[in-house]
Amino acid sequence: GENVEQHPSTLSVQEGDSAVIKCTYSDSASNYFPWYKQELGKRPQLIIDIRSNVGEKKDQRIAVTLNKTAKHFSLHITETQPEDSAVYFCAAPSSYIPTFGRGTSLIVHP
Amino acid sequence: DTGVSQNPRHKITKRGQNVTFRCDPISEHNRLYWYRQTLGQGPEFLTYFQNEAQLEKSRLLSDRFSAERPKGSFSTLEIQRTEQGDSAMYLCASSLRENEQFFGPGTRLTVL
């Protein structure tokens, strides 16, 4: 099965700084890599995803980069805002079943 | 609200009792997933349906757990003889395309 490692577990930044969260995976057949944001007491919500045929995807202040050779992908948030504070999860599928990372708690200080 | 819905939102039960949760996916979605999430962890996969067929089942799903999706629409997850270790948030997700999932609000189970 797939093994997904996510780092760091906690990330504290000042408002306006950038934040980067990295995930590594083990199954070279994985071809879809989503990132979810989960606010306290709420459901995980998809914020951005990338498929293996591209190396980078951007959506306003959020970007995801993928290195298939090294089997890692990263979430980049620029110009962070207090409302970005949440737990972020990466996921990678193996045989269509996603394995989630353990999450990164992002704290943005105003 | 046309998103994924789950009922009940909270369930408190005594050890040894049976509980059943319901998930209503987004109407055109043919894929449905159940996950369990505990504090400080990511969602852990439990089982997966494509239409009414249960295609995958995690080793985490002991014989006390059963899931159904009888008509390929809503799904139920039953836990028999609950244990304190079953206390968790049970999340349902649905998708139309391969891999792109939308989550429900979850059912928080507390076993006393």
Side-chain angles (χ1 to χ4, degrees):
Chain A
E2 179 73 277
N3 183 37
V4 176
E5 299 283 339
Q6 182 173 344
H7 298 281
S9 58
T10 305
L11 181 57
S12 184
V13 300
Q14 288 296 128
E15 182 176 1
D17 287 351
S18 295
V20 180
I21 304 169
K22 182 176 175 179
C23 283
T24 60
Y25 62 98
S26 58
D27 187 350
S28 56
S30 294
N31 59 5
Y32 173 74
F33 306 93
W35 284 92
Y36 290 86
K37 175 183 181 182
Q38 188 173 28
E39 296 176 32
L40 191 63
K42 297 193 175 179
R43 73 189 80 187
Q45 291 197 300
L46 180 72
I47 56 170
I48 196 167
D49 55 13
I50 191 168
R51 295 189 185 270
S52 59
N53 56 344
V54 297
E56 183 174 1
K57 183 177 177 181
K58 288 185 74 172
D59 182 2
Q60 299 182 340
R61 296 186 296 107
I62 296 172
V64 54
T65 57
L66 171 64
N67 184 326
K68 282 218 74 178
T69 304
K71 289 191 273 188
H72 66 73
F73 58 110
S74 298
L75 176 70
H76 304 254
I77 306 175
T78 58
E79 300 172 31
T80 52
Q81 300 168 3
E83 51 264 39
D84 294 330
S85 297
V87 179
Y88 292 81
F89 295 99
C90 64
S94 180
S95 302
Y96 308 119
I97 305 303
T99 299
F100 285 78
R102 295 185 65 173
T104 296
S105 177
L106 174 65
I107 303 164
V108 181
H109 298 280
Chain B
D1 184 359
T2 56
V4 178
S5 63
Q6 292 185 246
N7 288 289
R9 296 290 307 276
H10 303 273
K11 179 70 178 180
I12 300 174
T13 191
K14 292 182 179 179
R15 190 176 52 187
Q17 298 295 303
N18 299 343
V19 294
T20 300
F21 309 141
R22 175 176 170 132
C23 171
D24 287 90
I26 294 171
S27 60
E28 65 268 25
H29 286 187
N30 60 341
R31 298 164 197 248
L32 188 147
Y33 303 78
W34 284 99
Y35 295 90
R36 180 171 65 190
Q37 187 177 28
T38 53
L39 197 63
Q41 302 291 326
E44 294 178 294
F45 168 75
L46 294 178
T47 191
Y48 158 58
F49 291 86
Q50 187 163 328
N51 299 311
E52 65 272 15
Q54 188 173 17
L55 298 186
E56 291 283 347
K57 198 172 169 180
S58 166
R59 288 189 300 275
L60 292 174
L61 218 62
S62 75
D63 57 4
R64 296 184 299 104
F65 288 71
S66 62
E68 294 182 340
R69 195 183 183 197
K71 296 182 181 177
S73 56
F74 73 92
S75 176
T76 57
L77 177 70
E78 181 182 17
I79 309 174
Q80 296 182 325
R81 304 181 304 280
T82 51
E83 302 172 356
Q84 287 184 323
D86 297 331
S87 295
M89 176 72 85
Y90 289 84
L91 292 165
C92 173
S94 71
S95 71
L96 178 61
R97 288 170 54 200
E98 175 185 311
N99 296 321
E100 190 172 354
Q101 299 184 22
F102 296 87
F103 282 85
T107 295
R108 180 167 296 285
L109 173 65
T110 302
V111 182
L112 302 176

